[in-house]
Amino acid sequence: MGKAQRNRANKKAPRTDPIAKPVKPPTDPELAALRESRILPVLRDLQNPDAKARTTAAGAIANIVQDQKCRKLLLREQVVHIVLTETLTDASIDSRAAGWEILRVLAQEEESDFCVHLHRLDILTAIEHAAKAILETLTSSEPPFAKLLKAQQVLVWEMTNSLLSLLGFFAVARDEILDAIVASPIILRFLFRLASSDSVPQEIFEETLSCLMTLSEDNLNLGHAITDDQETRCYDELLKLASGTGPRAVLSCGVLHNIFASLQWLDHSPGKDGACDALLIPSLTRALEQSSPSSQSPTMQVAMEILASIGTDLVNAFEKGNKSKVSADKASAAEEWGGIEDDDAMDVDEGAGADDDEAEDGNEDEEDDDEDDDELDDDLGADLERVTARDDTPEEADLDDLPTLKELLQQAVPQLIRLTNVATDTEEGLAIQGHALSALNNIAWTLSCIEFADGENSNIFRAWVPAAKKIWTKAITPILESDSADLEMATVVTSLAWAVSRSVHGETLARGNQHRRFFALYQASKKHVQTDVPLAKGDEAEDPLQGLGVKCIGVLGSLARDPAPISVNREIGIFLMTVLNTPDTPAADAIEAFNQLFDIYADEDAPCDKEVFWKDDFLKHLEELVPNLKTIAKGIDKRAFEELRIKADETVLNLRRFIQYKKKHVPQP
């Protein structure tokens, strides 16, 4: 390797640091004894004039730093300062390798703030120096790397591994560090050279690709750097690797997927030689076919994570394509009924959901209702016509203009369905099942956001419906019927069920009394969640709209829509009304229940409108629930739960308009 910046082999005494402050010993007797017996002696040796003693001490610290008590004591004794200023620049490669290992373990075990702290101490400059020295050693002809002693080669690869791990930790700690890494030509050359070499050990090669995956996510600059690189031709090497098999192929697919996404190389705008995600799916699918949960579970999990990301990013291809249009609200699970136009939603704070509702006179709403009746009636009629329109013209499901979707549906989805049914009596099996469900979930939600009304994207719809039915019967149904899933797994399965059911407009999925399983799941969700969770901090407080209860209601709403049997529709409708009339119903659940009712009974021509909505007097119940909904909306802290409050305000306005609309369309006897 290259020469170190400083050589301290001939120093007679350790250098004193005028900045360092004396450290007070811990008050805990056990820690104080540990400090005296293990920490202070090894730190003294780390600064010993004797090179052998320093090397031994560095190796010892690299081992004991993994112990939490020792690690905290070492940090108190300013081990980072010593490593940065002395160990990393030691003449001994053994000491330097141990120093990088110490920092690697610290970065792995400590919070991201530690990485930020190292960055502010200019750690990237030290990484650049070490990376440059490693490259010089690997490419040197005097002597060639292969001629070095085996022990020296091992040290080089150990140091390389530590640097790669650190770069990955730094990249996710803060965007400014990621930007600084990508802006370093030395670091990029270091990574590209490793990724393009066939002589790098398997472990180091996989760590290099893993690091590049982390760095390249949503990173336009790195995407350009990789594709423009002419020295190592890293991009071309990644393409070759991605067409193969095994962990290298899967990890290369991960890097390339990130590159394609950042450069917007999509189905309708492919990159070099037609590059887009469709090129990667065959290799990822092979990884699922050729691996078993017990032998290659890490590789399978990475492959499924990449497929899940491709499924999510597929929406960009639809948005950019000329033939595909995605509905505006991609995140919402129940915005198909057009009860609120964009202009109306912007005025919510001026109406029923604003904080100053308390000061409003109740008669004002009635006056506004009378003034707006005709306008609302016309608007809602047009909205509902758009929503319920169907195109029954037969059309072949041609997806040649959407190769990524075609590959997903034809190759990936069948393998993912298979993996949802693996044995789950081991942790590996549970992990595989969870990743398979998550990948299917991402694909299904993307498809559920495509506009299929008025015959739009009918080729996609016809290709998706058979796959969706297989997902329901072969992935969702077996798990539901097993009654063995915990709440975490049940949440994933229910999310998938919601996405699938809402995406196959007019197609029947559930059989028999399958909807009742979601009744039971909803009740189970309430037993494990505090009733005030959506309004206060708790397990689901970060995003109450993503709770299991909300998802169950979403599935039920989709299963109740026409052409669902009237008996099923009635059961679900009554269940949702019961949810709304239960005092301890969480706010998010109530809001979703209202919106699902709007969607179920929006079409006055649907059989359920007359047979259920009017016969069971749902309108009267909804009118009685208006004050309750306003109370729910006002009780949500918009500073803590902004999205939930906005949705609640919209639902208040929507409920008023929905009631007005239904009053205008009472069926004739």
Side-chain angles (χ1 to χ4, degrees):
M1 293 186 64
K3 295 181 180 178
Q5 289 180 323
R6 299 183 182 89
N7 188 330
R8 298 184 176 82
N10 297 322
K11 288 200 173 190
K12 301 300 182 182
R15 181 179 62 187
T16 58
D17 187 349
I19 299 179
K21 298 179 181 180
V23 180
K24 294 181 180 180
T27 56
D28 183 270
E30 180 186 356
L31 295 179
L34 182 62
R35 175 178 181 264
E36 292 294 332
S37 64
R38 299 188 64 184
I39 304 303
L40 294 183
V42 78
L43 286 176
R44 284 193 291 267
D45 286 344
L46 188 62
Q47 298 176 290
N48 195 299
D50 180 66
K52 186 176 181 180
R54 295 198 304 272
T55 299
T56 302
I61 293 175
N63 289 325
I64 67 173
V65 75
Q66 299 187 48
D67 178 83
Q68 184 179 13
K69 292 181 179 179
C70 291
R71 185 169 63 253
K72 297 303 181 183
L73 288 172
L74 286 167
L75 289 171
R76 282 170 57 94
E77 299 295 332
Q78 303 179 18
V79 67
V80 172
H81 177 74
I82 297 172
V83 169
L84 290 177
T85 58
E86 299 185 38
T87 310
L88 296 186
T89 56
D90 199 291
S92 168
I93 184 177
D94 300 76
S95 294
R96 298 199 302 274
W100 285 112
E101 177 64 9
I102 292 169
L103 294 180
R104 185 196 70 79
V105 175
L106 288 172
Q108 177 178 309
E109 299 295 336
E110 297 296 311
E111 300 292 335
S112 60
D113 286 345
F114 179 77
C115 293
V116 176
H117 173 65
L118 287 180
H119 174 61
R120 291 171 179 169
L121 295 176
D122 200 23
I123 188 65
L124 291 186
T125 297
I127 290 178
E128 288 177 333
H129 174 75
K132 184 177 180 181
I134 290 172
L135 286 177
E136 290 173 354
T137 301
L138 294 175
T139 58
S140 174
S141 58
E142 296 182 4
F145 182 72
K147 297 293 184 180
L148 294 178
L149 295 175
K150 185 67 174 178
Q152 290 179 296
Q153 294 182 33
V154 170
L155 286 171
V156 171
W157 294 128
E158 287 178 351
M159 193 183 308
T160 301
N161 186 67
S162 296
L163 294 181
L164 292 169
S165 297
L166 282 167
L167 288 171
F169 297 147
F170 294 152
V172 299
R174 186 165 292 184
D175 288 343
E176 65 181 85
I177 309 179
L178 172 61
D179 294 340
I181 292 172
V182 175
S184 169
I186 295 175
I187 293 177
L188 293 187
R189 182 169 174 265
F190 171 69
L191 294 170
F192 295 170
R193 178 68 66 180
L194 292 174
S196 306
S197 174
D198 56 4
S199 61
V200 175
Q202 179 76 3
E203 179 185 356
I204 302 301
F205 195 87
E206 292 179 12
E207 189 67 35
T208 302
L209 294 180
S210 179
C211 181
L212 281 172
M213 276 185 64
T214 302
L215 294 171
S216 60
E217 187 173 358
D218 297 323
N219 198 317
L220 179 62
N221 291 335
L222 184 56
H224 283 304
I226 293 176
T227 54
D228 295 342
D229 172 57
Q230 296 299 316
E231 179 183 351
T232 65
R233 303 189 69 83
C234 180
Y235 175 73
D236 294 335
E237 292 298 322
L238 290 172
L239 283 177
K240 291 178 184 177
L241 289 168
S243 64
T245 59
R248 292 191 177 202
V250 171
L251 292 170
S252 297
C253 286
V255 179
L256 289 170
H257 165 61
N258 288 343
I259 293 172
F260 297 162
S262 65
L263 298 179
Q264 290 291 288
W265 289 1
L266 309 172
D267 286 353
H268 293 285
S269 56
K272 295 180 180 180
D273 301 320
C276 66
D277 283 331
L279 298 178
L280 311 178
I281 295 174
S283 292
L284 295 170
T285 304
R286 280 197 300 273
L288 303 184
E289 293 173 343
Q290 298 171 358
S291 302
S292 63
S294 58
S295 62
Q296 293 290 338
S297 58
T299 300
M300 295 178 70
Q301 290 182 35
V302 173
M304 287 187 282
E305 288 172 358
I306 298 169
L307 287 170
S309 182
I310 291 175
T312 300
D313 291 346
L314 194 62
V315 73
N316 296 323
F318 297 147
E319 288 178 332
K320 200 164 186 176
N322 295 325
K323 295 183 179 180
S324 300
K325 183 178 71 174
V326 180
S327 56
D329 189 355
K330 294 177 285 187
S332 173
E335 295 296 334
E336 294 175 20
W337 176 60
I340 285 186
E341 298 290 352
D342 291 340
D343 292 340
D344 296 324
M346 294 175 64
D347 295 334
V348 165
D349 280 341
E350 298 176 12
D355 282 338
D356 57 353
D357 280 340
E358 294 86 344
E360 293 183 359
D361 188 328
N363 293 328
E364 292 181 5
D365 280 344
E366 297 178 4
E367 294 173 2
D368 291 341
D369 292 350
D370 293 338
E371 294 172 2
D372 296 340
D373 274 352
D374 294 336
E375 180 182 353
L376 291 172
D377 186 43
D378 294 340
D379 290 346
L380 285 168
D383 291 338
L384 295 173
E385 184 177 352
R386 286 196 297 271
V387 170
T388 57
R390 289 294 308 269
D391 175 42
D392 295 325
T393 304
E395 180 179 334
E396 185 178 357
D398 181 9
L399 296 179
D400 289 341
D401 60 337
L402 293 168
T404 299
L405 176 61
K406 184 176 182 179
E407 294 290 336
L408 280 174
L409 296 183
Q410 294 183 357
Q411 295 199 45
V413 167
Q415 289 301 318
L416 292 169
I417 292 174
R418 177 180 66 84
L419 292 172
T420 63
N421 292 284
V422 298
T424 57
D425 53 351
T426 64
E427 291 186 6
E428 291 80 5
L430 281 171
I432 291 296
Q433 184 189 58
H435 279 82
L437 289 169
S438 294
L440 290 172
N441 185 58
N442 286 19
I443 295 169
W445 274 107
T446 295
L447 270 297
S448 77
C449 295
I450 300 176
E451 182 59 70
F452 291 131
D454 298 325
E456 288 188 75
N457 305 305
S458 58
N459 61 325
I460 299 176
F461 184 76
R462 294 179 188 278
W464 166 240
V465 168
K469 289 183 176 180
K470 288 179 181 178
I471 292 172
W472 187 275
T473 58
K474 296 184 178 181
I476 296 170
T477 297
I479 296 175
L480 288 176
E481 292 181 348
S482 70
D483 288 327
S484 60
D486 58 21
L487 282 187
E488 182 178 355
M489 183 62 69
T491 301
V492 177
V493 174
T494 306
S495 178
L496 174 60
W498 189 3
V500 171
S501 60
R502 75 186 293 264
S503 67
V504 290
H505 308 277
E507 300 288 337
T508 301
L509 293 172
R511 294 290 184 266
N513 295 323
Q514 203 170 38
H515 60 284
R516 294 179 184 174
R517 293 193 176 271
F518 294 101
F519 293 169
L521 270 180
Y522 179 78
Q523 298 302 333
S525 74
K526 291 192 67 177
K527 293 178 182 178
H528 289 78
V529 179
Q530 296 293 331
T531 57
D532 62 345
V533 160
L535 306 181
K537 291 187 177 180
D539 290 341
E540 297 180 16
E542 292 298 323
D543 193 353
L545 294 169
Q546 294 299 317
L548 175 57
V550 172
K551 289 178 168 61
C552 288
I553 291 170
V555 176
L556 290 167
S558 297
L559 295 180
R561 295 187 195 180
D562 188 58
I566 292 299
S567 60
V568 172
N569 179 281
R570 174 172 282 108
E571 277 192 57
I572 294 176
I574 293 174
F575 176 83
L576 296 179
M577 286 295 186
T578 302
V579 167
L580 293 175
N581 279 285
T582 302
D584 63 348
T585 295
D589 295 4
I591 292 166
E592 191 58 48
F594 274 114
N595 282 285
Q596 290 301 326
L597 286 168
F598 299 158
D599 289 340
I600 296 168
Y601 300 108
D603 184 5
E604 63 192 77
D605 296 324
C608 63
D609 184 67
K610 182 177 181 180
E611 295 299 321
V612 178
F613 185 85
W614 292 106
K615 280 191 176 181
D616 288 60
D617 211 6
F618 279 10
L619 181 61
K620 176 177 177 291
H621 294 302
L622 288 175
E623 289 180 308
E624 293 172 349
L625 287 168
V626 171
N628 294 358
L629 179 57
K630 289 185 177 182
T631 301
I632 290 173
K634 294 175 185 177
I636 300 173
D637 184 352
K638 66 170 55 179
R639 293 168 297 182
F641 303 98
E642 181 180 7
E643 183 181 1
L644 182 62
R645 176 58 187 266
I646 290 174
K647 197 172 182 70
D649 290 341
E650 290 174 347
T651 306
V652 170
L653 181 59
N654 228 10
L655 176 59
R656 179 173 64 86
R657 299 185 66 183
F658 182 78
I659 290 172
Q660 293 173 21
Y661 179 80
K662 299 304 285 186
K663 285 181 176 180
K664 288 284 187 178
H665 294 81
V666 178
Q668 296 299 320

